[in-house]
Amino acid sequence: MNVREFSKHFSKGQVISGFVLIALMTLFGFYLHGISPDLPAALVFGLGIGYTLTRSRYGFAGGIKRIYVTGNGDLSVALLVAFVITTAIYGAYHWIDHLKGAVPAFLATEGQDIITGTQNVHFFNIATMIGAFVFGIGMIIAGGCASGTLSDLGEGEMRSALALPFFILSTIPGHYLRAVIDRSAVGKVGVQHYLPQTFGYFGAFVVTLLICFLLYLWVKAYERKRKLEHTYVEPGFDDFEDKLVEPADEPVFGLGLYHRLFCRRWSFKTGSLVLAAISGAFFIFNKKAWGVTSAFTRIAVWFFSLFGVRFQDPSFDGIYSKLEKGILADKGVILNIGIIMGATICFLLASRFKFNRKFDGKNAGLFILGGLLMGFGSRMAKGCNIGALYSAVTNYSTAGWLFTLFISLGAVFALKVFKGGRCSLVPPRHRDPADFK
């Protein structure tokens, strides 16, 4: 597509709407500052994450789904790059905190400083295992993980509008059952391990690099296998690329320059670099790694409280205390709103926003089911692809790698069971590239 052809699809109305939305988010940020000075930063981080996920067509669920469906491991490799960069950033702060006398969060006693980020070193038990597996199934059925559901909603994908409410509400039973299991004898069987405890800080970084390198070798070997089987799909089929203009056709100024700045898709690796930078900045500013689904549980509890429902289990006490200042005083909630709006801004500025309702009643029910499974599984596992995987692995949690294993098993299980025809929720492995959407 050259510049002239691109101009035929260019909507000034969408671009204006994009800049209006930026202005509205600015005003919203000033409003949030009146509630708490930290909230505008959460909104900015969310906007950056949502914009990056959409601009680079980046997704954590896609790291499993894309390579299974097409044999192409570009996104999987990019995720490993993000792991390595983020681990280096977080690891430096872990080491500095350690030198100051701080200890891992799960070992800290009252009054002790904790090592920033070790809040994501979770206890891995049977609940985590089941939750990760169930979440893996749900994210394939629903078409995206937690962050992906938010960014897809911002892009106008109505399947996410179906999945998200049920995702949020089903965190309640997942949160409750996790608490029940944790209090039981079987729930106390598991592992909570922080890699520097065994390998030291430099050694833990080397171990993480080694695991990522071994996964990289596996991805490349799998790509070669699929090519030999003639089931490999060449990259370049993503529907975002129908707006691309070849570099040689882009003039320095005018519409070509605008396209370069706001429309041309970022590569997966560019997405990794930007996402790692945002994650690092969030980590430094908030003294913790970012997550998504803990805020979903607080939204669900807040929603039920509007109808006078109060959950009596002690595991909900901390949630109610965090809601005392109101739902918009929650940084996680504001971050998630930012992710949705960041994705919308990206597509509006690229002049390609539209509502996608291309699914039938059967698939609508499956998207709802996917949302239910993700909500339940995420709180059983104490996190999703972000909190229990990305933010756990990069904070040297052994549980993060175990979560990765079981979420991958759940995702592959769903991909094998739910693959089908053109209107199916999961494309078959041997589909023509032109049909893959």
Side-chain angles (χ1 to χ4, degrees), residues 298-311 320 323 326-327:
R298 294 192 286 276
I299 294 172
V301 170
W302 168 80
F303 175 78
F304 281 109
S305 70
L306 297 177
F307 302 94
V309 177
R310 184 177 179 90
F311 301 100
Y320 283 113
L323 290 173
I327 192 66

Side-chain angles (χ1 to χ4, degrees), residues 2-4 6-7 10 15 19 51 55 243-266 349-350:
N2 58 36
V3 173
R4 179 176 295 179
F6 171 70
S7 66
F10 185 79
V15 173
F19 284 108
Y51 186 92
R55 185 73 185 267
K243 297 290 187 182
L244 289 181
V245 179
E246 294 299 322
D249 293 327
E250 291 183 331
V252 177
F253 301 104
L255 190 59
L257 176 61
Y258 182 87
H259 183 278
R260 184 182 293 110
L261 293 176
F262 296 107
C263 306
R264 182 194 287 183
R265 173 185 166 176
W266 290 347
L349 294 182

